[in-house]
Amino acid sequence: MDEELEPLFDEDAIRNKMQELADRISRDYAGSDLVIVCVLKAAAFFAADLARSLAVPSRIAFVCASSYGASTSAVTEVEIRKDIEIDISGKHVLLVDTIADSGRTLAALTARYAQRGPASIRSAVLLDKRSRRTADLRLNYVGFEIPDLFVVGYGMDFAEKYRNLPYIAVLPSSDTEGEGNRPGT
Ligand code: IMP
Ligand code: MG
């Protein structure tokens, strides 16, 4: 383990919470087909684990999105580097990200995909830094609510490092100083 990282959630804690969310989602979507939209890159691992734990049929699509601009602004602008290819009209859509921070990424994606006529659109995150929310976003499935910490691992990076850690850890705040608005994928 990287010695400057402080573990927050180990693999068991992540797996148990992920399964709990998968069970709730499976109950809520029983009898319907689901399109999981994985918000790259951070959600790559969580969405893959979640999709494999669901008891309902699902398809998986990937969007590569990055929020930018001042995180205090209420403007929900995100850059879409790669969009989903699946036609979601009439489909139940579940946006999946590992973490919600300002909420701008998921708020913008919700607005974007709502225009394509889905049957429903909801969002799921493993971690919620609710105290940092600036966007108007209602999350439907939340694993853990966490304080304003910068976390890495299980898909989440700092300068593209640490995504592949199987656990979630806190990066000391001195390491993230100067990072500005912390835009991310
Ligand atoms: P939001 O649009 O501000 O909610 O930001 C969401 C994105 O920012 C997530 O998909 C992550 O990629 C990134 N992000 C937010 N907080 C963290 C963190 O603590 N560590 C790593 N990435 C983060
Ligand atoms: Mg990032």
Side-chain angles (χ1 to χ4, degrees):
M1 188 177 292
D2 199 313
E3 59 191 23
E4 61 188 40
L5 299 176
E6 194 187 310
L8 185 62
F9 299 111
D10 66 14
E11 290 185 68
D12 278 349
I14 294 170
R15 193 180 313 108
N16 291 339
K17 185 59 79 175
M18 188 278 299
Q19 188 63 57
E20 196 183 304
L21 292 175
D23 292 345
R24 277 180 54 202
I25 293 165
S26 298
R27 275 197 303 274
D28 291 354
Y29 290 92
S32 46
D33 283 348
L34 191 56
V35 177
I36 291 174
V37 175
C38 167
V39 185
L40 294 172
K41 298 178 192 174
F45 300 85
F46 177 48
D49 286 343
L50 195 65
R52 285 180 290 182
S53 302
L54 292 175
V56 290
S58 70
R59 282 177 287 171
I60 189 156
F62 299 89
V63 59
C64 190
S66 175
S67 54
Y68 58 93
S71 59
T72 48
S73 125
V75 180
T76 54
E77 272 179 294
V78 293
E79 181 193 353
I80 307 292
R81 295 180 184 148
K82 181 216 165 292
D83 203 357
I84 59 171
E85 285 109 20
I86 293 179
D87 176 7
I88 56 169
S89 81
K91 305 288 190 304
H92 294 283
V93 173
L94 182 65
L95 295 171
V96 176
D97 205 342
T98 308
I99 188 163
D101 184 44
S102 71
R104 293 187 304 153
T105 306
L106 287 173
L109 291 175
T110 300
R112 179 183 183 88
Y113 295 137
Q115 291 173 355
R116 299 185 192 177
S120 69
I121 181 158
R122 290 184 175 180
S123 30
V125 295
L126 181 64
L127 306 180
D128 184 14
K129 286 199 268 192
R130 200 157 61 182
S131 64
R132 300 221 347 129
R133 192 80 81 255
T134 57
D136 182 14
L137 173 69
R138 191 179 163 274
L139 294 168
N140 303 94
Y141 304 96
V142 174
F144 301 102
E145 192 176 318
I146 62 164
D148 182 11
L149 300 167
F150 197 83
V151 291
V152 294
Y154 199 53
M156 295 173 291
D157 75 310
F158 175 63
E160 294 301 326
K161 272 174 69 185
Y162 309 118
R163 287 196 201 275
N164 60 328
L165 295 178
Y167 57 91
I168 294 170
V170 178
L171 198 68
S173 57
S174 58
D175 291 12
T176 56
E177 270 160 27
E179 201 207 349
N181 61 25
R182 311 199 284 201
T185 58

